Amino acid sequence: MIEGSLVALVTPMTADNELDWDSLHKVVEWHLEQGTNSIVAVGTSGESATLSMAEHFEVIAKVVDQVNGRVPVIAGTGANSTREAIELTEAAKERGADGCLSVTPYYNKPTQEGLYQHFKTIAGAVAIPQILYNVPGRTGVDMANDTVLRLSEVPNIVGIKDATGDVDRARDLLARVASDFAVYSGDDLTALELILAGGKGNISVTANVLPADVATMCALALAGKADEARAINDRLMPLNKALFLESNPIPVKWAMARMGLIAAGIRLPLTPLAEKFHEPLVAAMKEAGALPANG
């Protein structure tokens, strides 16, 4: 079971929005040096919705090859077509991913039974560990805890990324699922409380900017050192909030470009961070320690 900080990795792009393989290599290596526990490639933060199939597969392959077993690599393989999700999941397995992250089908608004059958069918088709991903704020569909509980009984469905931000709901799920089913936060604002309640880690946007701090905070929380973890979390909180001034990954890619980690490329329909948010994001980055206070 993966524990700790799982970075929701951005996909670096050049100024003309082509994939930036050199920056991807540098950022992945930086995460390994900084103590990130797992890399989640081509998820929401990785702009999977605007990558071609070929690009999607190539990002997975390059990350897997570079990581070379040093940490687990999870590939985003969700789709609102069950057949397409199976194709993506098969491709991730073929390219050596350690597991897959599969988002609830967006736009077509399946019922709870439809969600159950969707994920059960993918799991039955591809023998690879699979993590469910519930983010109703983006998909327009919310997977109930009862449905997650049913799916947790499918052998290769091993966990869920809960991006609802509802810690009470996560506590209810944790009380009902088996101990070998991992509940991860998908919300940096509430991740600490979810881990302290029994969650296994945080699939984090903020880790793109301050990977060592997020990894340390998660490790302390998992060890039950709540006060020490909370001290780091309190410092990170303004940044956690600022990284959602506009839709993810608009702010985080701008922040990383400001740090010199990547170029500023982002694909339509997403646009670069609005100028009115530059100053508050820089202020939050300085407060969290991502930029020098006088820089």
Side-chain angles (χ1 to χ4, degrees):
M1 181 183 293
I2 302 168
E3 295 187 352
S5 175
L6 299 78
V7 63
L9 189 72
V10 304
T11 301
M13 297 176 184
T14 62
D16 58 357
N17 298 326
E18 295 300 318
L19 299 194
D20 185 347
W21 301 116
D22 288 342
S23 292
L24 178 66
H25 184 91
K26 291 174 185 175
V27 168
V28 168
E29 203 61 35
W30 182 57
H31 277 287
L32 297 173
E33 294 167 358
Q34 293 285 306
T36 295
N37 302 108
S38 176
I39 292 175
V40 181
V42 286
T44 303
S45 301
E47 293 177 83
S48 58
T50 53
L51 299 187
S52 70
M53 282 281 204
E55 289 172 329
H56 195 113
F57 299 158
E58 191 169 4
V59 171
I60 295 169
K62 285 187 180 295
V63 172
V64 167
D65 288 348
Q66 182 182 348
V67 170
N68 194 27
R70 288 178 283 177
V71 298
V73 174
I74 308 299
T77 58
N80 66 343
S81 159
T82 306
R83 288 184 178 182
E84 183 178 327
I86 290 171
E87 181 181 352
L88 288 165
T89 305
E90 287 175 336
K93 181 183 178 183
E94 289 169 0
R95 284 155 181 80
D98 297 288
C100 293
L101 180 69
S102 192
V103 71
T104 50
Y106 39 86
Y107 186 75
N108 43 17
K109 298 182 73 172
T111 63
Q112 294 300 309
E113 182 61 25
L115 290 170
Y116 173 75
Q117 294 295 340
H118 172 79
F119 289 116
K120 182 173 180 288
T121 299
I122 299 167
V126 190
I128 188 173
Q130 297 177 31
I131 299 170
L132 310 172
Y133 178 13
N134 191 35
V135 57
R138 294 192 77 115
T139 62
V141 62
D142 188 3
M143 185 159 51
N145 279 358
D146 287 346
T147 304
V148 178
L149 190 65
R150 292 176 69 194
L151 287 166
S152 72
E153 297 173 358
V154 178
N156 56 324
I157 295 180
V158 299
I160 183 170
K161 175 183 177 181
D162 180 349
T164 65
D166 186 340
V167 179
D168 287 339
R169 174 175 171 161
R171 288 191 182 99
D172 171 72
L173 181 61
L174 284 160
R176 297 165 64 193
V177 293
S179 59
D180 62 351
F181 184 82
V183 178
Y184 301 103
S185 174
D187 174 56
D188 284 295
L189 290 169
T190 56
L192 173 61
E193 298 308 318
L194 189 148
I195 297 171
L196 292 173
K200 297 302 181 184
N202 181 22
I203 300 178
S204 172
V205 174
T206 302
N208 283 286
V209 177
L210 287 172
D213 287 338
V214 176
T216 300
M217 186 271 287
C218 289
L220 290 168
L222 287 164
K225 297 178 180 179
D227 290 343
E228 294 175 60
R230 200 161 273 123
I232 297 174
N233 193 59
D234 289 348
R235 174 168 52 82
L236 295 178
M237 193 57 66
L239 179 60
N240 293 340
K241 294 176 181 178
L243 290 176
F244 287 85
L245 285 167
E246 289 190 320
S247 299
N248 179 50
I250 292 172
V252 71
K253 292 194 88 173
W254 189 92
M256 294 176 72
R258 180 69 170 72
M259 295 168 69
L261 294 169
I262 62 173
I266 194 164
R267 283 186 179 173
L268 288 169
L270 300 183
T271 51
L273 185 70
E275 188 172 352
K276 66 181 179 180
F277 295 126
H278 291 189
E279 186 175 336
L281 181 49
V282 166
M285 292 170 70
K286 289 180 178 180
E287 189 172 350
L291 291 174
N294 57 356

